[in-house]
Amino acid sequence: QVQLVESGGGSVQAGGSLRLSCAVSGYTYSNYCMGWFRQSPGKEREGVAAIDGDGGTMIARSVQGRFTISQDNAKNTLYLQMDSLKPEDTAMYYCAADVSVAWRSLLSSSEYNYWGQGTQVTVSS
């Protein structure tokens, strides 16, 4: 049973930082593509950052230079370091995983079958 559990969300002021974690269990972690997505009320789920099975990363243009995705295979954990946060970054953040995702689709939520429950990030101005 694949399980993804996010943590690390919270409330910060604009310009602050947060680090999200996604603990993974139930599969061989290093063989999967992993991604971070976010969704705010009334908006579609948006791909933020993703990492493929070879460690290649993709970052959405809206967060380039501010967000970094990384993983610790020994701990089976995916991270999202978020710096210089803006109020528009406020959303529920989800991690997702799947066995094989085409490079060009890494930030497409429809490509992922396994999802965590989400962690809320709120950025105040």
Side-chain angles (χ1 to χ4, degrees):
Q1 183 76 11
V2 177
Q3 287 191 326
L4 308 173
V5 180
E6 302 96 333
S7 61
S11 297
V12 296
Q13 290 191 329
S17 297
L18 284 173
R19 188 177 79 157
L20 305 184
S21 299
C22 176
V24 176
S25 62
Y27 64 82
T28 303
Y29 175 74
S30 61
N31 292 343
Y32 274 62
C33 297
M34 302 282 298
W36 286 101
F37 296 81
R38 66 186 181 185
Q39 189 168 21
S40 51
K43 294 187 177 181
E44 292 187 356
R45 190 165 294 189
E46 173 191 17
V48 175
I51 189 165
D52 70 9
D54 295 323
T57 61
M58 183 176 290
I59 307 293
R61 191 167 298 179
S62 59
V63 302
Q64 276 182 358
R66 302 188 297 119
F67 289 14
T68 304
I69 188 171
S70 63
Q71 62 187 18
D72 185 333
N73 289 341
K75 295 183 178 179
N76 285 356
T77 302
L78 180 74
Y79 301 101
L80 183 68
Q81 178 67 42
M82 304 186 295
D83 299 317
S84 302
L85 282 161
K86 303 176 181 180
E88 50 263 44
D89 296 318
T90 295
M92 184 72 79
Y93 283 72
Y94 301 89
C95 70
D98 214 305
V99 175
S100 180
V101 178
W103 175 258
R104 64 181 181 276
S105 300
L106 278 175
L107 296 182
S108 175
S109 61
S110 62
E111 298 294 317
Y112 294 83
N113 285 305
Y114 303 104
W115 291 86
Q117 82 289 348
T119 186
Q120 178 68 38
V121 171
T122 303
V123 184
S124 58
S125 57

